[in-house]
Amino acid sequence: MKEIYTRILSSLVFAMVLVSTASAQNVNTMTVNSPMDIAGDYTIQTASFGDQSGAMLTGDLMLGDDNMAIDSNGDGNNTGTTTDGCEAITNDVSASIVVLDRGECFFGTKAENAEAAMSVALLVCNNDTANPDALLQMGPGQNGEGENTTNLAVMASYNTCQTIKAAMANGTVNVTFSYVEPDCAPVVYGPEVIWGANGEGAFDGGLNDWTVDKGEGTSLDDGGWYWDVNGQIDRGAYNSTQPTIASPTQCNGAMVFDSDYYDNLGTAGAFGSGPCPSDGNIFCEGMLMSPVIDVAASNPSGLILQWHQAIRHFNSLYFLLLSTDGGVTWQDTIQINEEFATNGPHNLDDVQNIPLCGYNDATDFRFAFLYLGYYYYWAIDDVVLINEGNADVRANETWYAIAPNYRTPMTQVTEVPFMIDVENLGNKDVENVAVNVSILNTTTLTEVYSDQLDYGTVPGCFLDENRVFPNTFDIPEELAGYRGTYTVTADNDEVMTNNEQTFDFEVTEDVFAKVLPEAEGGGLVGITPSASYWSVGNYYYVPNGAGYVAKTINVGIGNDPSGASFSGFVNVVLYKWIDLNGDGTCNGNERIPIGQGDLIVQNSLGTALRDMQVDLVHPDGVSPVALEDNTSYVAIAHMNPISAADPVYSMLAADSEEDRNFYYFPMAFAFDTGFGVGRYGSMFGTGSDGSDIDSRDFGPFYNFAVYAPLKIEKMSSGTEDLNTALDIEVFPNPASEFLFVDVALENNSPNFSLELVNLAGKVVHRSTYSNVSKERFEINLQNIETGIYMMNIRSEDGFTSKKVVVQK
């Protein structure tokens, strides 16, 4: 983000620019002239199509009738009511203002039918009984219905229509449509407002003493920000329902940045066609700058910057910049509006209050709103500075340590470190701040651990970070679920809703995992790098490995099976790793493979791609994948497509930005800085082709936590003892039609068996024999699919396994 600030701020040259958008003042009022018992003004909303001149129009209301109620002719094709205007209007509404009900077809279709019936205007009655006074701006249909109409089209609320319909039933209702200047009395502020009480931030009639500036690459002279008489925000193709900001002084105008319109000029699908396009790599940039303010003259005890805004977020960035030298330099850059979700609801009058620290004595104070626009809009109005101090300490939601794994086998449990950043969002000091951490056994609902760390006084606007608790929690060796909770306490904290953060983890029978599987609500997404050949997986620490073996690793491919054709392999490897240089990067010379397996990846596997299991086999083909005490392991999947031109494999993982249960960076930081111990989450690396796997470096990968669970089990013994000296040959390899097994045993084996097992662990062929010593066996592969298999051979002399490739 710092690079973005630098690029933008270094390119800004201040220029006094006053830009207003010439806009017809659309009809907003219906005046009932008669009958007298309902006479008066009623608020209406003009459609985005039809007459936009704002010209006054008077006429009689007439209810339209299209003679088509719900399935009125019995053929199942008709919907709606006789008054919705979805079909041709059959009664005489010529020279009248036709009244139609909302519902069942596009607004533009109603307008076309009303105009074809020779009406002079259209009044649509809203049917929203839950919000009986609600209005919305009608837009054309998805195929352009209504765009070519020329008559005025307006909407009235449900309550308004109930009133006029009752009057229409008893006689003629005559109305006038017109624009009525809204009552725009100034907002009255108390003495706590030290700037803005006289309308300095109300944008009454224009920018006044404010200025705007554009960012690098912005083609707009006004830098994207412009004054609009109505605070209009609905010009873009993807916001036709929310017409204006709803600020207290919207009536005298507001500042608007319509990223939607700037990108597409109001045409759906025309992305990038506007004067200031935006996409994943480009923002439409602009800055709105306040006048220079002498804050010190008011001798404030604290400062809060407040403003009203209309906002809907997609992928934009929003910043508040602060200066003490009139904007020559900007001392602070604060990212704001981070609470708004992508494609979330429209917020037409959201009030922001940002405490400011260190500016009470400024004589040349200036602030600016910086917008990196990537849909949809941002409008600002009624900006004030308030003399007020507040204290708001919070448990930071972006930086706290969790358990080393989401799931850990009960035989391999370790300690959990604790660390969380504490931030004072207010501008007053917070006294006697402390953080309590507790661990709840969610299986028995009992607290099993608690500890407290004192933070003392946390100054205003201060982030107290990276304090590691001196003690750790030793996870019990029992199957259970756990919840950790950080709770911040203080003497004078004024906001208590942001004082807690939690995380979950589990102790399992035999599985290590960084994330939950999809079947258990893991919320996994596909991650796709730019490189075709890449490696990704998880770090696991094993404290008690002696006597245990690694059995399986699961991975998930996120490619859409119905999309572009793809095929190839995923090579899954379990490495023993010793971090020789202590940099947290798993270099090629620091690891050795102890277990491996291959997976075939192709479209035909469908949803099975999302959870594939590989049985781990020692590189020598016969030895167990034995684990060791106090050892680090990395379970990595190497993507190996047939060709670099094929679609890049997408690996399933949890987005740690979305779910902090899977954000392992703070845990690794706490272990490293607090205890000098290396523990990690997921790891990632890329290669140039499939031949450089051994030399790739795998670095920590903290934006995502990879789905790559590792299953272990206790090492077995007995008749399944491995015997690498067995004289057994399997050929040809690869095989297509027949597979031959030559056996030469030292001792006659009364019980002898052959098993062909696929990589999912399914036995696809089994045969048993008696009294075998020296013999050749033949296996017909006619019903065996192309793939990689393990030939398991059992005899009285022991067990061995051979890797077999079937290729047809």
Side-chain angles (χ1 to χ4, degrees):
M1 199 63 64
K2 292 179 180 178
E3 293 79 2
I4 295 176
Y5 305 155
T6 303
R7 177 171 61 84
I8 295 169
L9 298 179
S10 64
S11 69
L12 296 178
V13 178
F14 297 130
M16 294 294 292
V17 182
L18 178 61
V19 179
S20 64
T21 300
S23 168
Q25 305 210 331
N26 288 325
V27 164
N28 63 1
T29 302
M30 177 179 67
T31 302
V32 176
N33 304 311
S34 62
M36 290 305 296
D37 60 337
I38 66 166
D41 291 342
Y42 298 80
T43 301
I44 55 175
Q45 174 65 54
T46 303
S48 65
F49 53 82
D51 183 5
Q52 303 289 302
S53 68
M56 184 180 296
L57 184 149
T58 298
D60 293 337
L61 300 180
M62 177 71 72
L63 193 63
D65 186 347
D66 62 18
N67 199 32
M68 287 287 186
I70 297 176
D71 199 18
S72 58
N73 60 7
D75 66 0
N77 293 323
N78 300 316
T79 61
T81 67
T82 60
T83 57
D84 61 19
C86 291
E87 289 79 28
I89 296 172
T90 57
N91 63 323
D92 184 8
V93 296
S94 59
S96 299
I97 300 170
V98 64
V99 179
L100 298 174
D101 289 326
R102 179 184 178 187
E104 302 306 326
C105 61
F106 295 120
F107 293 121
T109 300
K110 300 176 190 291
E112 289 177 347
N113 289 334
E115 199 159 300
M118 304 300 291
S119 66
V120 295
L122 167 64
L123 173 65
V124 174
C125 288
N126 200 356
N127 59 2
D128 189 351
T129 56
N131 300 285
D133 293 316
L135 294 171
L136 58 84
Q137 186 178 47
M138 299 182 292
Q142 66 180 21
N143 297 315
E145 293 89 346
E147 287 183 347
N148 296 322
T149 58
T150 58
N151 283 356
L152 176 67
V154 301
M155 173 175 282
S157 71
Y158 175 82
N159 277 345
T160 296
C161 283
Q162 292 298 99
T163 299
I164 62 175
K165 283 181 178 180
M168 289 168 65
N170 296 318
T172 301
V173 176
N174 182 265
V175 302
T176 297
F177 295 142
S178 64
Y179 172 77
V180 176
E181 186 74 34
D183 180 14
C184 205
V187 178
V188 178
Y189 295 101
E192 73 278 1
V193 174
I194 63 173
W195 180 88
N198 298 316
E200 297 95 327
F203 305 107
D204 186 354
L207 279 81
N208 302 316
D209 293 329
W210 292 68
T211 58
V212 294
D213 207 343
K214 64 181 180 179
E216 180 180 346
T218 304
S219 62
L220 299 163
D221 290 338
D222 63 357
W225 285 103
Y226 59 88
W227 178 78
D228 186 270
V229 64
N230 297 313
Q232 187 176 351
I233 54 176
D234 62 351
R235 296 176 177 87
Y238 299 99
N239 175 36
S240 61
T241 61
Q242 309 296 330
T244 63
I245 187 174
S247 57
T249 66
Q250 172 264 339
C251 51
N252 62 28
M255 294 303 297
V256 175
F257 195 132
D258 196 340
S259 172
D260 184 341
Y261 180 77
Y262 281 158
D263 183 72
N264 58 55
L265 285 176
T267 302
F271 300 109
S273 63
C276 193
S278 53
D279 61 26
N281 300 309
I282 301 173
F283 294 98
C284 183
E285 303 171 7
M287 190 156 70
L288 171 63
M289 293 170 284
S290 76
V292 177
I293 304 166
D294 184 357
V295 173
S298 300
N299 191 28
S301 59
L303 278 181
I304 291 179
L305 180 64
Q306 181 188 92
W307 69 91
H308 291 251
Q309 63 180 12
I311 184 172
R312 191 182 186 219
H313 174 69
F314 176 63
N315 201 26
S316 301
L317 296 172
Y318 314 80
F319 301 98
L320 175 64
L321 280 61
L322 305 173
S323 171
T324 58
D325 57 15
V328 177
T329 58
W330 301 97
Q331 283 76 45
D332 285 316
T333 300
I334 305 170
Q335 188 165 1
I336 56 177
N337 292 334
E338 295 179 275
E339 67 270 27
F340 295 104
T342 298
N343 288 328
H346 297 271
N347 299 272
L348 299 187
D349 188 23
D350 176 72
V351 181
Q352 291 286 310
N353 291 278
I354 304 297
L356 308 180
C357 295
Y359 294 91
N360 292 13
D361 299 328
T363 57
D364 294 308
F365 177 66
R366 199 177 194 188
F367 59 90
F369 299 103
L370 176 62
Y371 187 39
L372 276 62
Y374 183 7
Y375 281 81
Y376 293 88
Y377 57 81
W378 192 17
I380 290 176
D381 200 8
D382 299 315
V383 187
V384 295
L385 274 173
I386 302 172
N387 178 6
E388 183 178 316
N390 73 330
D392 177 14
V393 65
R394 72 168 178 178
N396 199 309
E397 63 183 3
T398 63
W399 190 254
Y400 56 90
I402 62 175
N405 306 301
Y406 190 84
R407 285 178 169 162
T408 304
M410 60 188 299
T411 59
Q412 309 300 326
V413 292
T414 59
E415 66 271 31
V416 178
F418 300 112
M419 176 192 69
I420 186 168
D421 285 356
V422 172
E423 185 174 11
N424 185 355
L425 300 176
N427 53 21
K428 289 196 312 187
D429 292 353
V430 183
E431 309 291 341
N432 293 324
V433 178
V435 176
N436 175 266
V437 62
S438 67
I439 302 294
L440 178 73
N441 182 319
T442 57
T443 304
T444 62
L445 298 180
T446 56
E447 185 180 69
V448 294
Y449 181 84
S450 67
D451 195 7
Q452 180 172 298
L453 185 62
D454 294 331
Y455 283 62
T457 298
V458 178
C461 301
F462 182 73
L463 176 64
D464 196 324
E465 55 186 342
N466 300 332
R467 293 205 194 191
V468 180
F469 282 58
N471 303 314
T472 59
F473 168 60
D474 293 326
I475 304 175
E477 296 181 17
E478 58 185 44
L479 299 178
Y482 295 93
R483 168 159 291 186
T485 301
Y486 293 99
T487 304
V488 176
T489 61
D491 284 353
N492 59 324
D493 188 10
E494 299 173 19
V495 180
M496 307 301 294
T497 58
N498 55 7
N499 290 23
E500 189 173 285
Q501 299 296 339
T502 64
F503 61 96
D504 298 319
F505 59 99
E506 299 174 5
V507 176
T508 67
E509 181 91 27
D510 52 14
V511 174
F512 283 102
K514 297 294 184 185
V515 300
L516 280 168
E518 280 190 314
E520 298 179 46
L524 305 182
V525 297
I527 54 173
T528 309
S530 58
S532 295
Y533 299 95
W534 60 295
S535 307
V536 68
N538 289 332
Y539 166 92
Y540 297 116
Y541 172 69
V542 175
N544 306 305
Y548 289 89
V549 294
K551 295 298 293 182
T552 63
I553 295 174
N554 287 50
V555 297
I557 303 297
N559 295 62
D560 181 1
S562 64
S565 177
F566 58 91
S567 62
F569 299 90
V570 172
N571 310 119
V572 181
V573 183
L574 182 65
Y575 295 99
K576 173 185 173 181
W577 173 40
I578 298 177
D579 190 6
L580 298 175
N581 57 17
D583 64 354
T585 300
C586 182
N587 304 116
N589 65 335
E590 297 178 335
R591 63 179 187 257
I592 59 170
I594 65 165
Q596 59 193 28
D598 296 312
L599 294 168
I600 297 176
V601 177
Q602 55 191 16
N603 296 64
S604 61
L605 293 174
T607 57
L609 286 167
R610 301 183 73 85
D611 194 0
M612 300 184 293
Q613 185 177 96
V614 60
D615 291 320
L616 293 173
V617 178
H618 194 276
D620 66 15
V622 291
S623 299
V625 184
L627 302 174
E628 302 175 31
D629 289 346
N630 302 316
T631 303
S632 295
Y633 295 93
V634 181
I636 289 284
H638 303 291
M639 312 304 159
N640 193 14
I642 297 297
S643 167
D646 289 346
V648 177
Y649 293 164
S650 175
M651 187 78 165
L652 291 186
D655 186 344
S656 51
E657 290 282 336
E658 298 295 327
D659 193 336
R660 295 292 172 172
N661 271 310
F662 310 129
Y663 187 42
Y664 292 97
F665 191 9
M667 175 275 301
F669 184 90
F671 264 125
D672 183 40
T673 60
F675 306 99
V677 174
R679 300 285 188 268
Y680 307 96
S682 296
M683 310 199 85
F684 170 85
T686 60
S688 57
D689 55 44
S691 65
D692 61 357
I693 289 174
D694 292 340
S695 61
R696 290 179 195 170
D697 295 336
F698 313 139
F701 184 46
Y702 291 121
N703 294 333
F704 297 91
V706 176
Y707 178 65
L710 169 66
K711 183 177 180 179
I712 68 170
E713 67 179 34
K714 197 166 184 64
M715 190 178 296
S716 62
S717 60
T719 58
E720 287 289 296
D721 286 347
L722 291 166
N723 187 345
T724 59
L726 289 177
D727 188 3
I728 295 176
E729 182 180 0
V730 179
F731 65 95
N733 199 358
S736 58
E737 297 180 359
F738 293 95
L739 184 67
F740 299 96
V741 181
D742 278 0
V743 178
L745 302 177
E746 293 183 4
N747 304 300
N748 184 283
S749 181
N751 297 300
F752 184 88
S753 67
L754 301 174
E755 281 184 349
L756 197 60
V757 182
N758 65 18
L759 293 180
K762 181 180 179 181
V763 177
V764 298
H765 172 86
R766 178 185 286 113
S767 53
T768 59
Y769 307 92
S770 300
N771 300 319
V772 174
S773 58
K774 186 174 183 180
E775 199 164 341
R776 171 174 291 183
F777 301 99
E778 177 184 290
I779 299 175
N780 190 329
L781 301 177
Q782 179 179 354
N783 296 320
I784 306 299
E785 296 180 351
T786 295
I788 300 171
Y789 298 86
M790 297 306 300
M791 173 63 74
N792 296 330
I793 303 155
R794 293 177 171 84
S795 71
E796 296 300 311
D797 288 349
F799 165 84
T800 191
S801 184
K802 303 286 186 180
K803 189 177 189 179
V804 174
V805 177
V806 176
Q807 187 172 344
K808 298 183 178 182

